[in-house]
Amino acid sequence: YEYTYGGRIFNFAGQLDQLNDFVIPLLRKDPRSRRAVISIYNPLKDSSTVNRNTPALMYMQFRIKNQKLHSTTHIRSNEILFGWPANLFQISKFNEEVAKELDITPGDLTIISNSAHVFLEDQNSIQRILESL
């Protein structure tokens, strides 16, 4: 892959740590803010008709409600067998870490998957998982 989420979160366009220099300070200053958004999608790199390596995770938004940190994440394309568990883990860890920095409790995770799918080549793995239930 030509990108990682970490690079886009902590060094977006080589200029911005979106988490530590924007989201956390913003929510400390204004806990009611609705602007605490981390963008993964970079239109300068990703909006190309020939680029097929577009990140699946588009953005994460953090909001404080009732002294809990809630996050909403939009996933453009989500492979369910391997990608979904990895994304869920990453998103929950971000929510926990930001909540810890803000000294509040982690809240709800809302994940929007526009295209949740499995690949045909994973059919045997999926069948083994289903049979083990």
Side-chain angles (χ1 to χ4, degrees), residues 31-118:
R32 297 178 346 156
S33 179
R34 298 175 308 274
R35 297 184 303 121
V37 175
I38 291 174
S39 178
I40 306 297
Y41 187 84
N42 181 348
L44 296 175
K45 291 184 178 184
D46 302 321
S47 292
S48 166
T49 57
V50 296
N51 179 12
R52 296 188 44 87
N53 196 18
T54 302
L57 198 148
M58 298 279 97
Y59 69 84
M60 292 182 283
Q61 180 181 22
F62 300 91
R63 298 214 36 218
I64 298 172
K65 297 179 194 171
N66 301 321
Q67 282 302 105
K68 290 184 180 181
L69 182 72
H70 304 278
S71 68
T72 300
T73 302
H74 183 152
I75 301 175
R76 172 188 61 78
S77 180
N78 205 202
E79 187 279 320
I80 294 300
L81 186 61
F82 299 108
W84 168 250
N87 288 146
L88 179 60
F89 177 77
Q90 295 162 343
I91 293 163
S92 66
K93 291 309 280 182
F94 270 105
N95 201 57
E96 289 173 13
E97 290 301 315
V98 173
K100 181 179 173 183
E101 286 294 318
L102 297 171
D103 197 27
I104 59 176
T105 304
D108 296 334
L109 303 177
T110 301
I111 302 171
I112 302 161
S113 293
N114 271 24
S115 176
H117 56 273
V118 295

Side-chain angles (χ1 to χ4, degrees), residues 9-22:
I9 292 168
F10 298 108
N11 192 23
F12 192 86
Q15 298 179 40
L16 177 64
D17 180 336
Q18 297 184 82
L19 190 66
N20 296 299
D21 295 339
F22 176 63

